[in-house]
Structure formats: structure tokens, C-alpha cells
């Protein structure tokens, strides 16, 4: 713990802005780095990190608690295809957690599980459509079914908040 004191500002050198200005664009490992943050009660939150480079792209969101030096950050790292007409080569959800002086990196198993479940559900829906057990996509019957499903989702979301 930090005993209620904000620590680790000393990690950022006082002349950091001047040091950064000395770099030329080619010295950075990425073409763009952007995002915004909100600070509230010592917690800095970012929901729109975007890193772009020819070899690697990343989007992320997370928070750093300056009171406890704790970080919890989720990134989706994508290795783009060299051919813009082809899909990306690899997409990997990653998570950074722990303390600023001991950050642990690894796969974001929750995001991977959600993605796998979503893909499996799409496959099941497609198979049911092929077998005629679900209405064709875009039909009036399909729209009515989607509205009912959305109603159930809204109901479950409301129960989850209680």
C-alpha cells in the first residue's frame, strides 16, 4: 500500500516532454499513439487507447489506481496483413494487471472465452437456419425473433444491475 499517498510520479522525469521532442518520427516503434483519459479520485481511466504501426496495432482500455499503484488494462493486439485486401493475420486479446513496478502480462482469457462463445453461437444459428429451424436472415419473422431476444437480453441486464 501507499499509505494514502500518491506515489511514483518520480518515475516520469521532469524533462520528459523535452526528451520526447528530441525523437524524430522514425524513432518511434509506432506511427500513431492516441487516446483520452479521465481521472477521478486517484484512478486514471482510459477507454480508447489506439496504437497503430505497420507491424502491430492495438486497441485498449483500462485503469491505473495511483493510490495503490495497481493497473488493470485490456488490449486487443492485431498483426495486420501486408495485403490490405486480406484479413488480419492474428488478433490476440491481452491483459496487463498487477502493480506498476510488477506488471504481469498474459492472454485475456475472459475476452478469448467470450469471443469463442460468440463464434460458436453464430455457427449454431447458421446451422439452424440451414436446417430450416430458424427463419431466414432479414425476413420479417427473423426481425420479430430478434426483437424478442433483445427483450430477454434487456430483462437479464436489468436483473444483473439489481
Amino acid at each position: 500500500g501507499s499509505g494514502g499517498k500518491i506515489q511514483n510520479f518520480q518515475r516520469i522525469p521532469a524533462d520528459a516532454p523535452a526528451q520526447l521532442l528530441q525523437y524524430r518520427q522514425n524513432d518511434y516503434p509506432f506511427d500513431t499513439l492516441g487516446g483520452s483519459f479521465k481521472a477521478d479520485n486517484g484512478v486514471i481511466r482510459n477507454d480508447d487507447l489506439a496504437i497503430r504501426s505497420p507491424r502491430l496495432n492495438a486497441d485498449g482500455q483500462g485503469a491505473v489506481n495511483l493510490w495503490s499503484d495497481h493497473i488493470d488494462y485490456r488490449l486487443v493486439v492485431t498483426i495486420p496483413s501486408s495485403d490490405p485486401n486480406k484479413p488480419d493475420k492474428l488478433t490476440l486479446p491481452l491483459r496487463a494487471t498487477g502493480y506498476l513496478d510488477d506488471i504481469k502480462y498474459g492472454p485475456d482469457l475472459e475476452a478469448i472465452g467470450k469471443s469463442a462463445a460468440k463464434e460458436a453461437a453464430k455457427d449454431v444459428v447458421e446451422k439452424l437456419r440451414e436446417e430450416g429451424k430458424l427463419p431466414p436472415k432479414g425476413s420479417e419473422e427473423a426481425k420479430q425473433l430478434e426483437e424478442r431476444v433483445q427483450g430477454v437480453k434487456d430483462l437479464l441486464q436489468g436483473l444483473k444491475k439489481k
Side-chain angles (χ1 to χ4, degrees):
S2 60
K5 296 179 182 173
I6 297 176
Q7 299 178 341
N8 296 320
F9 283 113
Q10 68 274 14
R11 291 187 187 159
I12 302 172
D15 64 342
Q19 289 178 7
L20 290 174
L21 290 175
Q22 290 176 2
Y23 288 103
R24 295 180 314 278
Q25 184 174 357
N26 294 338
D27 292 332
Y28 290 108
F30 43 82
D31 294 333
T32 61
L33 168 67
S36 60
F37 70 90
K38 295 177 185 170
D40 186 28
N41 292 324
V43 178
I44 297 176
R45 177 138 193 87
N46 165 261
D47 291 319
D48 60 354
L49 176 70
I51 300 170
R52 299 291 176 263
S53 77
R55 289 188 255 156
L56 177 86
N57 295 326
D59 295 292
Q61 67 272 344
V64 176
N65 185 320
L66 296 176
W67 296 106
S68 65
D69 288 345
H70 190 263
I71 184 170
D72 187 359
Y73 217 88
R74 293 173 187 266
L75 290 166
V76 176
V77 177
T78 304
I79 299 174
S81 171
S82 56
D83 182 348
N85 297 320
K86 291 187 179 178
D88 294 327
K89 289 182 182 177
L90 173 71
T91 298
L92 181 64
L94 298 176
R95 190 161 185 192
T97 59
Y99 296 92
L100 293 175
D101 59 356
D102 187 27
I103 300 173
K104 306 286 188 230
Y105 301 92
D108 185 348
L109 298 178
E110 182 180 338
I112 291 169
K114 284 180 180 179
S115 177
K118 192 174 185 178
E119 287 302 313
K122 283 181 185 177
D123 290 345
V124 168
V125 167
E126 191 58 39
K127 184 165 178 58
L128 291 172
R129 278 200 174 110
E130 288 171 5
E131 294 174 357
K133 295 178 181 175
L134 280 178
K137 194 174 189 174
S139 69
E140 187 58 38
E141 195 178 351
K143 289 177 187 175
Q144 291 172 356
L145 182 60
E146 287 172 15
E147 287 173 6
R148 286 190 220 139
V149 169
Q150 187 59 48
V152 172
K153 285 181 180 178
D154 293 345
L155 176 66
L156 292 174
Q157 199 63 16
L159 292 173
K160 186 177 175 182
K161 290 180 182 178
K162 291 181 179 182

